[in-house]
Amino acid sequence: MSFGLYITHPQVQIDPQVPVPQWGLSAMGRSKAELAAQSPWAKRLGRIVSSDETKAIETADILAAASGIPVEVAEHMHENDRSATGFLPPLAFEEAADWFFAHPTESYQGWERAVDAQSRIVASVFKVLADHDAALPIAFVGHGGVGTLLKCHLLGRSISRTEDQPGGGGNLFCFSLADHGVSCDWTPIEHWKGV
């Protein structure tokens, strides 16, 4: 049976001196991705499409090695644009993220608005799916914020952080390639058993 996945990159090496899109995976994040790559579902993937941010590409490369397929990089799959504030320490970031989801039509101190980030990620994913062979399992590898916005859209729900992934990254949700219905909620990538 075919399936679609949205996968968030796992833990990253945080460096306030490096632009966030260039952060790579931490040792823990890499280990988590390598465990997921050993799963039967990873070997079944027929296509992997990644954001162009370093941490997503590194995750996609690890998963792609399991099935021997190349990674495609898609435009406009990047995380919500937060460059206006630059790096925020964890507590300040969580407060900002709460505000971002609670006020989707407004900008948090110059951030991309949630409604705009949602339109962008939905358009990017559906552009890929438009000519995708639905018999091939596909994974989109990206970021938690826009992944949550995509999930809200697929569920037909308003933008809300209640749909956000738990625990810092390295999760997935599964959806049907036939009707795009979400068939499993956020699950750690190394624990998902597949369909």
Side-chain angles (χ1 to χ4, degrees):
M1 184 172 139
S2 192
F3 55 87
L5 299 174
Y6 187 88
I7 299 171
T8 65
H9 64 79
Q11 291 77 4
V12 298
Q13 187 65 47
I14 296 173
D15 184 345
Q17 304 306 313
V18 174
V20 173
Q22 295 173 21
W23 286 355
L25 295 178
S26 67
M28 178 186 292
R30 182 166 292 281
S31 174
K32 187 169 179 151
E34 289 168 350
L35 278 173
Q38 297 172 23
S39 302
W41 63 262
K43 294 173 177 64
R44 291 181 55 205
L45 292 174
R47 194 170 178 195
I48 298 179
V49 181
S50 176
S51 149
D52 66 358
E53 294 188 33
T54 302
K55 49 195 170 272
I57 291 173
E58 289 179 356
T59 304
D61 283 343
I62 292 168
L63 294 172
S67 54
I69 57 174
V71 172
E72 300 171 45
V73 175
E75 282 189 305
H76 310 303
M77 274 188 54
H78 57 83
E79 185 61 287
N80 59 302
D81 184 351
R82 307 188 298 257
S83 57
T85 58
F87 173 78
L88 294 173
L91 183 58
F93 173 77
E94 291 301 324
E95 291 172 355
D98 285 344
W99 196 99
F100 169 82
F101 282 102
H103 304 89
T105 62
E106 300 174 48
S107 171
Y108 176 81
Q109 297 184 17
W111 282 17
E112 180 180 23
R113 300 181 311 161
V115 290
D116 298 327
Q118 184 181 56
S119 293
R120 175 175 52 74
I121 188 65
V122 168
S124 184
V125 166
F126 277 77
K127 181 179 179 181
V128 171
L129 291 176
D131 65 1
H132 177 69
D133 178 353
L136 288 178
I138 184 171
F140 294 88
V141 183
H143 312 278
V146 290
T148 298
L149 296 172
L150 174 66
K151 180 177 168 233
C152 290
H153 173 82
L154 295 178
L155 290 170
R157 297 180 184 162
S158 299
I159 291 172
S160 170
R161 199 168 190 197
T162 59
E163 299 299 337
D164 200 4
Q165 67 174 340
N171 295 288
L172 62 78
F173 67 79
C174 184
F175 61 93
S176 163
L177 292 178
D179 63 9
H180 306 135
V182 175
S183 57
C184 88
D185 205 347
W186 292 117
T187 304
I189 57 175
E190 71 275 25
H191 294 161
W192 192 57
K193 303 301 182 192
V195 292

